[in-house]
């Protein structure tokens, strides 16, 4: 007998029209779609062509019509400012409609881009929803990125308006955002017409006459704007993510498929219903924040929590339990690194005992591999299912999960369980041939991708095809390697490109190498992700100096660390680098990154047959010992 998961999975693959067509009936449409899956322009599949929809309507107005106007839609919980503000669906819709009016008054029209560079405050979600309301395309940039990264995104998205706040708060530090924005605009060729600035009490941003508009003043003068129908296939947002070069990829999300898929996931994956309280402790600058702080829970009619704080230090490692208890959270989503941080400070979960967690039913973790220690610690402490699920900025929602709303499978350590309905996951070898169960290969998804996944990259169909579709024809390349076992459980082992995951944040070592190479004394370099007990991985740089450089090596190391902070941002967490005489390479000149990584992680390694000069490996071991790695071997 099949269980509901198996039945759903089977239908989603064999009858995608029937499966997603039914899910779409649960959403509000101005005009019904002509086709559920449109495959007339392969490999550019589209969902719900001919349909007209509004994302903001589905997130807010729809629920008011259904009688949920007085239910809480969003709770802003900010331990760093000691504030909790609650918005009902009526109140949030009114704020969003007013800000949509502000954007309109600044000349923003359907299809125009609006860049949002904001900390975790309710106004960030309002700005996103306001764009959706008038059919503008938002692009949220994470606050931990430096001005140069922001400038790259401004140049690519060419926003008409930028929305920011005077500052963000990082534990006890106030980070002024406005100077970063001003610097980014100076650097970029594309200039916004206007910037809207939300002034926070702890930091007043200086305003540029004629360009900068004060949020509060503009809201006071605004007339609310109504929802504008857009094509299901029109873009809702662009979210830039690390690629294999310093040029980030602009992942596009459409309107129709996104509403349908995310609303479906809330019950079927997360097992929450309208009226339940759902909390994703992430940041609106990441895909988790888009899908599960703002859109998914609101599409479903849940109460969502927007948390401005950290798992530890705001004020202590009990804050997650305090939020769960205070707001009666049913389901929570965060990254394993957050739980490692809590476990480190409060190993016996003593702080949990102070709180009533009786409403809490499930913990979902993603963003990086969930290590068995953290999995079991969370299971033992919380006594609820702990679900590891695997996804990417590109996919918008989980490729693999234990879909609690369909069927709860027994958990296997190290596995995000099985492919979610819609995802025809396969493992292939370098010749694009499927491998046997248990064999490691490239994790790929047979096309078409389900609704909600990226239809393309912003104004760059070629890069979309080149990055994801070319290497394994007929499949989407996840760039993760792994295997599927005989029971159908997937295991995600490692990236096949230069992406690393630092505290659940996706970063490109290639982009860091580009920065290091720009230092005048650096001849060549390599940056690798090395295992870290808190952040999962941290980047470590190896630099070879140009001949004749006389400057002190310590100085150069300090300078390159500063350069990464200034050009990529503090989020890169690039704090360690060392000077080496040479880098181990193959005879054809390729840097042996895998071998350096194994040395750093204290794993056994074989001397590669293709190595140019094996004596370099001894030098690497010494260099790594010098910076605190590779010690355990001795
Ligand atoms: N704006 C400005 N700076 C930011 C920032 C933001 N939004 N977010 C992070 N930074 C800065 C931090 O202040 C820190 O700077 P520092 O080098 O001056 O100390 C740096 O970027 C690195 O931040 P972070 O990776 O958050 O490390 P941390 O040591 O401050 O905290 C954790 C470690 C584990 C507590 C933290 O990473 C965490 O809460 N992670 C949760 C994971 C998560 O939200 N993942 C998103 C996907 S689900
Ligand atoms: P991002 O686009 O920031 O969401 O990062 C996506 C990448 O994070 C994936 O390609 C994986 O390498 C990694 N990742 C996300 N979730 C998991 C998970 N549950 N297990 C293992 N790796 C994961």
């Amino acid at each position: 007998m099949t269980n509901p998961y198996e039945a759903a999975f089977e239908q989603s693959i064999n009858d995608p029209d029937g499966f997603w067509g039914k899910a779409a009936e649960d959403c509000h449409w101005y005009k019904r779609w002509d086709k559920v899956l449109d495959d007339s322009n392969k490999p550019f599949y589209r969902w719900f062509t001919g349909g007209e929809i509004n994302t903001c309507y589905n997130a807010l107005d729809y629920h008011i019509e259904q009688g949920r106007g007085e239910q809480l839609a969003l709770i802003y919980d900010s331990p760093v400012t000691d504030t909790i503000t609650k918005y009902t669906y009526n109140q949030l819709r009114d704020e969003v409609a007013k800000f949509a009016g502000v954007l309109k008054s600044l000349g923003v029209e359907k299809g125009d881009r609006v860049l949002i560079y904001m900390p975790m405050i309710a106004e960030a979600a309002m700005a996103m929803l306001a764009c959706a309301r008038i059919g503008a395309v938002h692009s949220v940039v994470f606050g931990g990125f430096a001005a140069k990264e922001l400038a790259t995104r401004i140049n690519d998205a060419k926003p008409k308006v930028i929305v920011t706040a005077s500052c963000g708060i990082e534990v006890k530090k106030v980070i002024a955002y406005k100077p970063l924005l001003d610097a980014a605009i100076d650097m970029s060729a594309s200039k916004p017409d206007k910037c809207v600035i939300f002034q926070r009490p702890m930091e007043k941003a200086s305003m540029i006459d004629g360009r900068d508009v004060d949020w509060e003043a503009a809201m006071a003068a605004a007339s609310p704007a109504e929802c504008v129908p857009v094509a299901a296939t029109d873009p809702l947002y662009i979210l830039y993510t690390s690629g294999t070069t310093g040029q980030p990829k602009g992942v596009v999300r459409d309107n129709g498929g996104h509403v349908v898929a995310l609303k479906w996931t809330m019950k079927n994956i997360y097992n929450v219903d309208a009226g339940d309280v759902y909390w994703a402790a992430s940041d609106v600058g990441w895909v988790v924040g888009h899908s599960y702080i703002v859109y998914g829970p609101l599409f479903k009619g849940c109460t969502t929590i927007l948390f401005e704080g950290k798992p530890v230090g705001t004020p202590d490692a009990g804050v997650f339990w305090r939020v769960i208890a205070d707001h009666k959270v049913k389901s929570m989503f965060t990254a394993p690194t957050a739980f490692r941080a809590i476990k480190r400070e409060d190993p016996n979960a003593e702080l949990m005992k102070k709180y009533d967690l009786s409403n809490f039913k499930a913990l979902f973790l993603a963003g990086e591999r969930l290590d068995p220690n953290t999995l079991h610690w969370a299971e033992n402490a919380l006594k609820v299912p702990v679900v590891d699920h695997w996804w990417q900025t590109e996919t918008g929602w989980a490729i693999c999960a234990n879909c609690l709303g369909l069927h709860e499978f027994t958990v296997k350590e190290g596995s995000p369980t099985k492919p979610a309905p819609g995802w025809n996951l396969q493992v292939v070898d370098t010749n694009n041939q499927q491998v046997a169960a248990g064999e490691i290969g490239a994790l790929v998804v047979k096309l078409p991708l389900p609704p909600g996944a990226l239809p393309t990259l912003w104004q760059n169909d070629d890069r979309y095809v080149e990055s994801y579709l070319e290497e394994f024809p007929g499949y989407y390349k996840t760039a993760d390697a792994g295997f599927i076992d005989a029971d159908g459980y997937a295991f995600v082992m490692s990236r096949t490109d230069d992406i690393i995951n630092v505290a659940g944040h996706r970063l490109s070592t290639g982009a860091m190498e580009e920065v290091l190479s720009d230092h005048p004394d650096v001849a060549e370099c390599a940056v690798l992700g090395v295992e870290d007990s808190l952040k999962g991985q941290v980047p470590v740089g190896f630099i070879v100096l140009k001949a004749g450089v006389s400057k002190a090596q310590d100085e150069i190391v300090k300078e390159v660390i500063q350069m990464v902070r200034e050009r990529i941002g503090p989020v890169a967490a690039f704090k360690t680098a060392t000077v080496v005489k040479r880098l181990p390479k193959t005879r054809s000149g390729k840097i042996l990154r895998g071998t350096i990584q194994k040395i750093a992680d204290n794993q056994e390694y074989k001397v590669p047959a293709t190595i140019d000069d094996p004596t370099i490996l001894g030098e690497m071991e010494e260099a790594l010992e010098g910076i605190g790695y590779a010690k355990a071997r001795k």
Side-chain angles (χ1 to χ4, degrees), residues 492-512:
V492 182
M493 314 294 289
S494 57
R495 289 286 299 198
T496 56
D497 54 13
D498 70 351
I499 301 291
I500 58 170
N501 240 291
V502 180
H505 308 317
R506 170 168 159 177
L507 297 159
S508 155
T509 53
M512 294 185 218

Side-chain angles (χ1 to χ4, degrees), residues 117-120 141-145 167-171 173 175-177 180 280-283 286-289 307 309-313 320 333-342 344 364-368 391 501-507 534-535 565 569-575:
Y117 183 60
M118 289 183 104
M120 283 291 287
V141 178
F142 178 63
F145 282 121
C167 66
I169 300 160
E170 277 295 294
V171 193
K173 277 180 298 192
I175 309 218
Y177 274 37
L180 292 170
S282 177
D283 190 288
W286 305 117
V287 68
V288 177
F307 172 71
K310 296 256 176 177
V312 293
F320 275 17
F333 180 166
T334 190
T337 189
F339 267 70
R340 287 196 298 269
I342 295 170
R344 195 162 75 166
F364 287 82
L365 298 169
E368 52 170 332
W391 50 299
N501 240 291
V502 180
H505 308 317
R506 170 168 159 177
L507 297 159
L534 174 66
K535 297 195 175 189
R565 197 175 171 89
V571 67
F574 183 78
K575 301 210 160 147

